[in-house]
Amino acid sequence: MKKTFLAILFALVSNLCFSQSDQVLIENCIQNYIEGTSYNKPDHISKAFYSEANLFLSHKEKPLWIVPISEYVSWYEKGNKGVFNGRLGRIISIESYNDIAVAKAEILIPEKKQEFMDMFLLKKIQGEWKIISKSASSKTSNKSGKKILFIVSNAHYYGNSTISTGNSFAEIVNAYDTFVNSGYTVDFVSPKGGAIPLAYINTSDSLQKQYVYNRDFMYALEHTVKPEEIDYTMYKAVHYIGGGSAMYDVPENSAIQRIAMQVYEDNNGIISSVCHGTAGIVNLKTKNGKFLVEGKKISGYPDSFEKQDGEYFKHFPFLIQKTIEERGGHFKFSKKNEAYVEQDGRIITGQNFQSSNGVALKIIEWIEKNN
């Protein structure tokens, strides 16, 4: 029995490692395509595609335009090699089964107000993942290429307890929808990367229902990025999401702290938070060694609103309001269940999930005025 159990466990671990490895290899393959087409690198494009692959594209004079990969590669031999040509690409989703996969990538050309969606069919050939066909479509878009980084937590429980918690789905959705409708791109980072726990999902709310069944959106929450994979220069703002999870892992994570302050100080960007997400900013320090919150007006979920006799509350590592006030901050809030947004320069914070939209609008307003 013991041997059987160990054999099954070994097989499960092996399959997990295999799938994770393949995920990375597929991502690398598509990234070769994205980099090749964004920086006129024909060799990168050739590396991504199978030598006999075809592209199925749109054409004004043809119902279907079939382009051999050799012809497609030749288009990028005419440009300045290694020079950015205005195409912004990112992977939207990947789904694999054994040695085949389908993937989707978004390509933006902000100057032309154009958005392409590329659909790929991939196959593992002699140990290498290759794109064997691609189709694409485009539409006019307001997407600017400006990026916001949402900071989320991997914590499933309140501390070391067995009390479940998660990232507030309402806070994620309310802010995310505001940003994307205004032409912004949102990325997600968590301390460990990968899938994050979600809480407070209400599918009776039409907006939440829309996103909980949005495969591309949920793929992003399943595949959050690790801090070491983040290029802080790409972001105009960081936004800390609340929910019970926000009290753990994120506030003490030095890599995330560094990203947030680089965006704030080096990029002249914004630090923002909502509700318990404000826990993420209490430990942030400026280059001169002072706490970011010192002398600043900050909002978040007030200590007095917590269920002081609740079991979950016993596991809080610190109190948000108390800590901010101890560090020289001025904590501001209003009545329960009312939207409340506080802005102090490039620090924008909200009291609760009802404030998520308002915080996002304040961020957008500042960016558009100052960039």
Side-chain angles (χ1 to χ4, degrees), residues 19-37:
S19 61
Q20 287 178 334
S21 174
D22 276 354
Q23 177 81 10
V24 171
L25 293 173
I26 294 169
E27 288 175 357
N28 290 342
C29 175
I30 299 172
Q31 287 295 351
N32 274 326
Y33 159 77
I34 290 173
E35 184 174 349
T37 55

Side-chain angles (χ1 to χ4, degrees), residues 72-340:
Y72 184 74
V73 170
S74 70
W75 298 350
Y76 293 89
E77 292 173 344
K78 301 171 185 176
N80 295 324
K81 291 185 179 180
V83 178
F84 179 62
N85 58 25
R87 290 168 57 100
L88 298 171
R90 67 183 181 116
I91 297 171
I92 299 296
S93 67
I94 296 171
E95 185 176 347
S96 62
Y97 179 84
N98 289 338
D99 62 348
I100 58 173
V102 291
K104 186 188 297 186
E106 175 191 79
I107 308 295
L108 301 179
I109 307 179
E111 287 187 4
K112 296 182 178 180
K113 298 186 179 300
Q114 199 168 23
E115 173 190 355
F116 286 87
M117 193 61 71
D118 291 349
M119 303 286 285
F120 306 97
L121 179 62
L122 300 95
K123 187 169 179 63
K124 196 172 188 180
I125 302 170
Q126 296 179 330
E128 285 191 277
W129 283 96
K130 297 288 185 181
I131 300 169
I132 60 175
S133 73
K134 172 200 145 177
S135 188
S137 188
S138 68
K139 65 179 182 180
T140 302
S141 173
N142 71 336
K143 293 183 179 180
S144 63
K146 295 175 183 177
K147 303 184 80 173
I148 309 294
L149 184 64
F150 278 26
I151 299 172
V152 289
S153 172
N154 301 106
H156 287 70
Y157 303 97
Y158 284 94
N160 295 320
S161 76
T162 56
I163 305 171
S164 298
T165 189
N167 298 273
S168 171
F169 191 69
E171 290 176 31
I172 294 173
V173 164
N174 290 345
Y176 183 92
D177 188 69
T178 304
F179 282 120
V180 297
N181 285 331
S182 298
Y184 286 74
T185 297
V186 175
D187 292 335
F188 296 90
V189 65
S190 63
K192 299 176 183 176
I196 59 168
L198 299 170
Y200 317 116
I201 299 175
N202 176 15
T203 52
S204 294
D205 178 275
S206 60
L207 188 63
Q208 291 188 47
K209 185 176 183 179
Q210 172 189 331
Y211 279 102
V212 81
Y213 291 113
N214 183 316
R215 293 184 179 181
D216 294 343
F217 174 74
M218 295 305 289
Y219 181 92
L221 296 183
E222 184 184 0
H223 297 85
T224 65
V225 179
K226 295 178 181 178
E228 57 265 31
E229 299 175 76
I230 291 294
D231 177 1
Y232 75 89
T233 64
M234 304 296 291
Y235 298 96
K236 301 291 184 181
V238 297
H239 183 59
Y240 287 84
I241 296 297
S245 290
M247 298 296 299
Y248 311 93
D249 295 346
V250 169
E252 66 270 20
N253 188 281
S254 60
I256 288 179
Q257 290 173 8
R258 184 167 56 254
I259 291 168
M261 292 310 297
Q262 285 173 323
V263 170
Y264 184 74
E265 295 183 312
D266 298 346
N267 288 7
N268 196 39
I270 293 169
I271 287 178
S272 64
S273 65
V274 167
C275 202
H276 288 86
T278 300
I281 74 174
V282 301
N283 295 323
L284 297 180
K285 288 186 177 181
T286 60
K287 289 178 180 178
N288 61 14
K290 292 185 178 181
F291 284 107
L292 176 70
V293 299
E294 184 178 332
K296 299 293 193 300
K297 291 178 287 186
I298 305 293
S299 190
Y301 201 71
D303 298 345
S304 59
F305 286 7
E306 301 285 357
K307 295 180 180 178
Q308 307 285 331
D309 59 348
E311 188 63 27
Y312 79 93
F313 190 68
K314 299 176 184 177
H315 299 278
F316 269 24
F318 61 89
L319 299 181
I320 297 173
Q321 179 179 347
K322 180 183 178 182
T323 304
I324 287 172
E325 290 173 343
E326 288 176 347
R327 292 177 176 174
H330 308 294
F331 195 86
K332 304 290 184 179
F333 62 97
S334 65
K335 296 178 181 179
K336 278 188 176 182
N337 301 318
E338 285 187 2
Y340 182 83

